[in-house]
């Protein structure tokens, strides 16, 4: 007979959990007490805010390919994880959030720190369940991990009543690998495979859209084999950027509002559009009424709710893209699309001359954001793991950081969560301790989770933090400049002395204001053991270009403003 808290520990160990991110409180004390005796197997990272626990679990999951876990108390402890849960849901990140809850006898009485966590999280999680009895714990934990990591991954919430933590029950290991009405690996329709093959074989101007589903499905090699046999150029969504090496001859860059010129224009010129593990987000499609109307669309996805949701599909290919891509590769004819691929080159030259050259290779004036990102990427030989916050720093990092390895980008896509970057980067250092983790953020996002410098200090988490400091909420300021006559309403930021803050937490730091100091500062950052904080003071009113303006077609991109 074991306490429920002890059963939880053994269940987590059985699921292969090694790292947890959390913050203790009254309603979860029995679990933390049990954790005290499992510290050799379960490494708990004490964050400084529960939102950071959820984001750190996301960073851990995205970097490692495992399921992230966070452990918090009831009431505000639980509700502080909501943003991370919602972020994980829309970006398909497998995390399990375990939150304390008042004893079942107090449920519904408005007891101290009681909140209906199941009711709150059901719309933003794959499964949300309240554990009321110790004998249900092993089953609930196994089911939670199975749901979180199978099919289209996502967050699961376990609301853990205090009496279930302290009661005793017999512990019997449980393995859940089947749930009636839940089909994480849908059966492939071979008739649709044949239809897709016919379209691909007949295509003169095929174009592939590569999303994060390729990374989640570990289908990177299958993707490469498919596009190389068919000679099909690709554009990548923001979350799918590292699914294919940046220097691959068929990788034509990033799709979307601030993506590359060629992929966006060619989306509306291709005759067959092959979407692989992506969801046709509005930032990728632009105006839906004019999006790829000339093309026959093939959509590979494991989630049936995504197929046809935003864009009508000619051939739906439901299933694991690791399997469907392999089937397509086996059946399609080898092709050469030389003229079609060469037609991208003029747009690449235009974008380089009108945008990239002045952003990345300036000869005078203040530092540019893209210039700093490019310099860090070059210094790491494009081998680092990129984490970003949200805003201009995110767009510049995604545009100018390059990738040579898979699972190399962690950023908040669908939610656009400011404050995501710092805790996610901490999680990534535990998920992949063998890799250099470079975090780009802005002064606005940094201050939303700045307290996590304390976690870095305690853990010596080796995050290489690059602050692109422009003294503005830069992305909002850019929109105010474009659409609101430069009326900068509450976007200028009064910033603290970040060097002093870093020093207070024992984090080595350096501030760079001059171009000639940048390379040396980056080398100091990369050669310093443990964490480092590099503050790059960049141009205050810099803009991210190209840009598809809201309401415009994806191929209508602004190159200067």
């Amino acid at each position: 007979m074991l306490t429920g808290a002890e059963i939880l520990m053994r269940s987590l160990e059985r699921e292969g959990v090694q790292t947890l991110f959390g913050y203790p409180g009254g309603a979860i004390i029995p679990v933390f007490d049990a954790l005290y005796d499992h510290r050799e197997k379960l490494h708990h990272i004490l964050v400084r805010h529960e939102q950071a626990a959820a984001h750190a679990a996301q960073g851990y999951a995205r970097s490692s390919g495992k399921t992230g876990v966070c452990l918090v108390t009831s009431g505000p402890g639980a509700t502080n994880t909501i943003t991370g849960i919602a972020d994980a849901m829309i970006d398909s990140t497998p995390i399990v959030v375990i939150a304390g809850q008042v004893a079942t006898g107090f449920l519904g009485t408005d007891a101290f720190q009681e909140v209906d966590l199941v009711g709150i999280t059901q719309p933003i999680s794959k499964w949300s369940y309240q554990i009321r009895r110790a004998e249900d714990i092993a089953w609930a934990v196994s089911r939670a991990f199975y749901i979180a990591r199978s099919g289209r991954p996502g967050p699961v919430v376990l609301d853990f009543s205090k009496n279930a933590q302290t009661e005793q029950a017999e512990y019997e290991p449980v393995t859940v690998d089947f749930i009636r009405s839940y089909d994480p690996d849908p059966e492939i329709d071979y008739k649709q495979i044949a239809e897709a093959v016919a379209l691909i074989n007949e295509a003169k101007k095929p174009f592939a859209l590569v999303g994060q589903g390729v990374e989640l499905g570990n289908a990177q090699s299958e993707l490469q084999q498919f596009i190389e046999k068919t000679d099909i150029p690709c554009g990548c969504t923001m979350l799918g950027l590292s699914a294919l090496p940046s220097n691959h001859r068929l990788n034509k860059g990033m799709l979307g509002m601030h993506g590359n010129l060629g992929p966006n224009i060619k989306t509306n010129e291709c005759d067959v559009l092959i979407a692989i593990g992506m969801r046709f987000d509005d930032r990728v499609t632009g105006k839906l009424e004019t999006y790829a109307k000339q093309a026959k669309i093939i959509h590979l996805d494991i989630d049936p709710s995504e197929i046809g949701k935003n864009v009508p599909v000619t051939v739906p290919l439901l299933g694991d893209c690791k399997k469907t891509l392999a089937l397509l590769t086996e059946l399609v004819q080898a092709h050469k699309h030389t003229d079609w691929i060469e037609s991208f080159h003029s747009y690449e030259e235009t974008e380089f001359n009108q945008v990239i050259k002045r952003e990345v290779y300036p000869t005078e004036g203040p530092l540019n954001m893209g210039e700093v990102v490019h310099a860090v990427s070059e210094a790491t030989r494009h081998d680092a793991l990129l984490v970003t916050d949200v805003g201009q720093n995110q767009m510049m990092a995604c545009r100018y950081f390059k990738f040579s390895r898979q699972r190399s980008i962690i950023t908040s896509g669908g939610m656009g969560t400011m404050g995501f970057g710092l805790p996610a980067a901490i999680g990534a250092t535990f998920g992949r301790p063998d890799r250099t983790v470079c975090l780009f953020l802005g002064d606005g996002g940094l201050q939303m989770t700045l307290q996590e410098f304390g976690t870095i200090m305690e853990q010596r988490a080796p995050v290489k933090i690059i602050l692109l400091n422009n003294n503005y909420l830069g992305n909002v300021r850019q929109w105010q400049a474009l659409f609101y006559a430069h009326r900068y309403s509450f976007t200028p930021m009064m910033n603290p002395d970040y060097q002093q803050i870093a020093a207070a937490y024992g984090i080595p730091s350096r501030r760079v204001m001059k171009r000639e100091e940048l390379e040396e500062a980056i080398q100091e950052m990369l050669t310093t053991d443990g964490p480092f904080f590099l503050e790059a003071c960049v141009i205050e009113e810099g803009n991210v270009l190209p840009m598809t303006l809201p309401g415009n077609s994806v191929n209508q991109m602004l190159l200067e403003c």
Side-chain angles (χ1 to χ4, degrees):
M1 300 289 287
L2 302 174
T3 66
E6 177 64 25
I7 292 172
L8 175 65
M9 296 299 105
R10 298 194 183 194
S11 298
L12 292 176
E13 289 176 357
R14 191 166 185 272
E15 292 296 333
V17 175
Q18 296 175 316
T19 305
L20 307 89
F21 304 89
Y23 202 94
I28 200 70
I29 283 179
V31 169
F32 273 88
D33 184 65
L35 183 59
Y36 192 83
D37 295 325
H38 289 259
R39 287 172 295 168
E40 290 188 6
K41 291 185 177 180
L42 296 173
H43 184 200
H44 178 267
I45 311 302
L46 177 65
V47 296
R48 299 316 192 248
H49 191 282
E50 292 91 353
Q51 179 180 344
H55 293 326
Q58 289 178 269
Y60 178 88
R62 297 262 289 272
S63 63
S64 67
K66 302 175 183 177
T67 302
V69 181
C70 66
L71 185 62
V72 299
T73 193
S74 64
T79 57
N80 281 342
T81 67
I82 298 301
T83 298
I85 294 168
D87 194 295
M89 185 66 176
I90 199 165
D91 281 353
S92 304
T93 305
I95 65 171
V96 174
V97 176
I98 303 168
Q101 181 57 279
V102 301
T104 54
F106 289 98
L107 290 172
T109 68
D110 291 332
F112 178 66
Q113 292 192 337
E114 179 193 359
V115 69
D116 181 6
L117 185 61
V118 171
I120 292 170
T121 58
Q122 275 184 335
I124 55 170
S125 64
K126 284 189 74 177
W127 185 51
S128 186
Y129 179 76
Q130 187 173 78
I131 302 174
R132 298 188 178 193
R133 306 184 308 164
E135 53 261 43
D136 296 333
I137 295 168
W139 166 84
V141 170
S142 181
R143 182 181 170 107
F145 277 83
Y146 172 62
I147 292 174
R149 61 191 171 209
S150 61
R152 180 181 182 176
V156 169
V157 177
L158 294 178
D159 191 34
F160 198 2
S161 66
K162 195 167 185 178
N163 61 285
Q165 300 172 39
T166 57
E167 291 170 357
Q168 292 194 334
E170 290 187 13
Y171 171 59
E172 185 175 337
V174 175
T175 299
V176 175
D177 55 12
F178 172 78
I179 300 171
R180 189 174 61 184
S181 80
Y182 174 58
D183 185 12
D185 189 11
E187 186 176 345
I188 295 170
D189 186 330
Y190 288 88
K191 180 182 177 183
Q192 292 173 340
I193 291 285
E195 292 175 3
V197 167
L199 283 179
I200 294 167
N201 286 341
E202 295 168 3
K204 304 300 182 186
K205 298 178 179 180
F207 188 44
L209 312 182
V210 177
Q212 188 192 199
V214 173
E215 298 257 63
L216 296 174
N218 297 310
Q220 298 91 342
S221 61
E222 286 79 6
L223 169 69
Q224 200 157 326
Q225 291 166 22
F226 170 71
I227 62 171
E228 288 174 355
K229 182 176 182 180
T230 56
D231 203 33
I232 295 178
C234 299
C236 298
T237 68
M238 188 170 67
L239 296 185
L241 281 172
S242 63
L244 192 66
S246 300
N247 64 357
H248 194 286
R249 70 177 185 86
L250 293 171
N251 187 345
K252 298 304 175 182
M254 186 169 73
L255 301 159
M257 177 177 280
H258 290 294
N260 294 108
L261 187 61
N264 282 332
I265 288 179
K266 293 301 179 178
T267 295
N268 277 11
E269 290 184 11
C270 66
D271 56 2
V272 173
L273 191 67
I274 307 160
I276 308 168
M278 55 86 71
R279 58 188 181 84
F280 290 109
D281 173 77
D282 62 288
R283 290 298 173 98
V284 166
T285 64
K287 186 178 180 181
L288 279 173
E289 290 79 7
T290 58
Y291 181 77
K293 292 301 179 184
Q294 79 294 336
K296 301 288 180 64
I297 297 178
I298 303 167
H299 191 177
L300 287 69
D301 208 288
I302 200 166
D303 184 354
S305 70
E306 289 296 347
I307 296 179
K309 184 177 77 175
N310 294 328
V311 175
V313 174
T314 310
V315 180
L317 285 185
L318 186 62
D320 184 339
C321 65
K322 190 175 182 69
K323 298 177 183 177
T324 51
L325 277 172
L327 287 169
L328 290 177
T329 304
E330 181 183 351
L331 297 172
V332 294
Q333 299 169 2
H335 279 84
K336 285 292 181 184
H337 295 289
T338 305
D339 291 344
W340 168 238
I341 292 170
E342 287 181 354
S343 71
F344 283 78
H345 293 170
S346 62
Y347 297 106
E348 292 167 358
E349 290 177 3
T350 297
E351 184 177 351
F352 179 83
N353 291 327
Q354 296 190 34
V355 178
I356 297 173
K357 188 175 181 180
R358 67 186 180 212
E359 179 65 37
V360 175
Y361 305 104
T363 56
E364 59 184 8
L367 284 168
N368 288 336
M369 290 178 280
E371 173 185 11
V372 176
V373 172
H374 174 77
V376 174
S377 185
E378 289 284 316
T380 60
R381 299 180 181 179
H382 316 304
D383 192 51
L385 197 161
L386 171 69
V387 185
T388 86
D389 205 78
V390 166
Q392 288 185 320
N393 65 88
Q394 177 187 40
M395 295 297 104
M396 288 294 191
C398 291
R399 280 185 55 80
Y400 297 114
F401 207 85
K402 303 304 177 186
F403 307 98
S404 61
R405 298 169 67 179
Q406 61 194 41
R407 285 191 178 273
S408 289
I409 180 169
I410 301 172
T411 189
S412 174
M415 276 287 282
T417 303
M418 288 181 68
F420 171 89
L422 187 59
I426 293 170
T429 64
F430 289 99
R432 288 302 303 267
D434 57 317
R435 299 196 63 183
T436 299
V437 176
C438 291
L439 164 66
F440 287 89
L441 34 61
D443 40 318
L446 172 58
Q447 293 186 78
M448 287 194 172
T449 47
L450 183 61
Q451 75 283 341
E452 297 311 312
F453 272 22
T455 307
I456 292 176
M457 174 183 66
E458 182 172 343
Q459 301 294 332
R460 300 307 297 164
V463 183
K464 308 303 182 183
I465 306 165
I466 304 100
L467 171 63
L468 303 177
N469 189 355
N470 59 10
N471 298 305
Y472 274 102
L473 296 176
N475 214 39
V476 181
R477 184 214 54 77
Q478 179 170 336
W479 282 52
Q480 288 173 333
L482 288 170
F483 311 120
Y484 296 91
H486 295 264
R487 289 159 56 88
Y488 296 157
S489 180
F490 298 99
T491 47
M493 296 283 287
M494 178 178 286
N495 283 313
D497 187 333
Y498 292 111
Q499 302 300 301
Q500 290 192 46
I501 293 174
Y505 285 98
I507 301 173
S509 68
R510 182 164 174 176
R511 178 185 290 128
V512 175
M513 302 183 72
K514 296 181 179 179
R515 184 162 290 111
E516 52 268 26
E517 300 171 345
L518 181 60
E519 183 177 346
E520 179 189 341
I522 292 171
Q523 286 304 318
E524 181 183 353
M525 174 183 72
L526 294 175
T527 55
T528 298
D529 289 337
F532 194 93
F533 180 78
L534 176 60
E535 179 182 5
C537 299
V538 297
I539 185 170
E540 290 197 342
E541 295 190 41
N543 293 317
V544 185
L545 294 167
M547 180 179 183
T548 299
L549 301 182
N552 280 14
S553 297
V554 69
N555 58 334
Q556 296 174 319
M557 299 201 79
L558 190 69
L559 296 180
E560 58 184 34
C561 60

